[in-house]
Amino acid sequence: MIADIIADISTVWVKYNLTTLTYIHLTLFGTAILLILIIGLPLGIFAGISPRGSLFIQILNIIEMIPDIALLLLLIPITGIGAAPTIAAAVLYSLLPVVRNTMTGLTTIRPELIEIGEALGMTGREILRIIRFPLSLPLVAGGIRTAVVYSMGIVTLGGIIGARGLGAALQAGITRNNMTLILVTGLWIGLLAVCMDTIAGSCERYLSRRYGDQR
Amino acid sequence: MNFLSEKNDIPWKYIESIHLDSLTKSFNGSYAVRDLSLTIQGGELIALIGASGSGKTTTLRMINRLIEPDKGVVLINNIPVRSIEPRVLRRSMGYVIQQTGLLPHLTVSANIGLPLTIAHTPDDEIARRVRSLLSLVRLDPDTFQHRKPAELSGGQQQRVGLARALATDPPLLLMDEPFGALDPLLRRELQKEFLEIKKHLGITIIFVTHDVHEAFLLGDRVALLHEGSLHALGTPSDLLLAARNDPLLSYFIGDTRLSYSITTPVISLALRPDEYLIRADDMKSEAIRSDHRVILSFDENGALHGSFPDCLQSTVPVAVAWYDTTMHQAVLLCTRTGSRVLVLHDDPGAVQGKDIGHVILLDDIMQFLFGSES
């Protein structure tokens, strides 16, 4: 019985080349996360120190209101199909939690810590570097963790617009009514998502321990 | 020693005087500080006392320019602080606050060394300085330097806050209710330790507190602020005497008497005649001077401990500043006026045969200090 199941899984795995698709899937996901960090952190810091910062949050909030599948399709006229719109959608969709949490983290520091920084003669930049940014890291990590979960979902969804990845295999399973393929791919994607979330969660916990402000 | 590589920017190495001249500051149309003028001498500890909202903290923050006055000037050694860049000005003065403001993600040594780090002092010099500061505030460097603030008790955190304020060896220390968040026992302990530390520092200290006991214990002079203005200024004993003719001052000091229930019978029940009197800090007859503090210590049974110092025999005028039954402690203040030694007691028989000058009954003390109201 178990031997049969394993045989089925390995047949499906080899036939649909799930190893390669996993590799592509994680590359798409990794690229998206990297871009989210590169764009989201500076945006979040800017939003945290600039009075006009909340404008970004407003814009990202509007993007967030578009259903993810609609966002994917809306991007096709701009970026064509495939990897580009998938990554773009993942980035656009996941920026909000990172930017918002970074901004919140920077602006909710205990006021006396800022006051002490000023009283010690620190410049605004030193206060940002030594006090505000480190202490916002637990919240930033929480935002990134949310972004990880969002991105994993959108990269999978990208399968329907030709982004390949594991979403493509899932799509193939649905169109061919191949229940084994659907189950194997679905469970595998789920497992990957749980792993990514666990890793992000550990980072968040570490940063909370290291930089958390137990009041 | 020069701990700040940028020290040249700071126009003074020590404080000769600080003048607050007609300082006025209002927030949302109501005055926080109103036409406040005050001269602080270099080397003294001046305690600013007053009720909440009397303008103590605002005054303190106008000195290091965390708040800019609407009117008036702050002069340090006759240089207006307004003419000095805030960053430079603030690096020339230590700042201690009630909430300690220790950065939770940095170790004790990183917190203490922070003022030096931002002044680009070399690491080995910072490490040396941190160790000596930890010793100064009586924390073992090896035990504490790698800990995080969350691993410290409230009292230890406050010591670290003090050490950080002293890191650049500043000639001026601003303290805003530093012991306010501590429990009474610990507060008394730290106050006494702080008096010791202060002896080694010889710097000017401006100390904000709403605790009149603390002000009288620590302050060379005490300034009572009321609704943003200076109401009374003087040495603790000056104020005690002035309180007889000053209802507000009397009320302020009198409040403490009530809160410490000075007239409760605890004292008379517990005192033993053969266990009289005083533990005096480094007191010798020639060392006694006006405003010298003498601390009476009672044990948990209420018995007084220590031998009565020679210097207090009959000739030295003393006033009881406060008496604290919860702490079994009293502070005597030698005054220039008066000719009596006041001994806190309500039974003259208990001290007969002791050569301690005049015995004044509790009621008399009350009268002496607070007029005839009690």
Side-chain angles (χ1 to χ4, degrees), chain A residues 7 36 41 47 63 75 102 112 122 129 150 177 210 212-213:
Chain A
I36 288 161
L41 289 180
I63 296 175
L75 282 166
T102 307
E112 69 261 24
M122 286 187 181
R129 178 169 59 83
Y150 282 8
N177 201 16
R210 178 83 177 70
D213 186 12

Side-chain angles (χ1 to χ4, degrees), chain A residues 172-192:
Chain A
I174 294 166
T175 48
R176 293 171 204 183
N177 201 16
N178 182 339
M179 200 47 80
T180 317
L181 180 58
I182 292 172
L183 272 177
V184 169
T185 317
L187 287 172
W188 177 231
I189 292 170
L191 190 65
L192 282 176

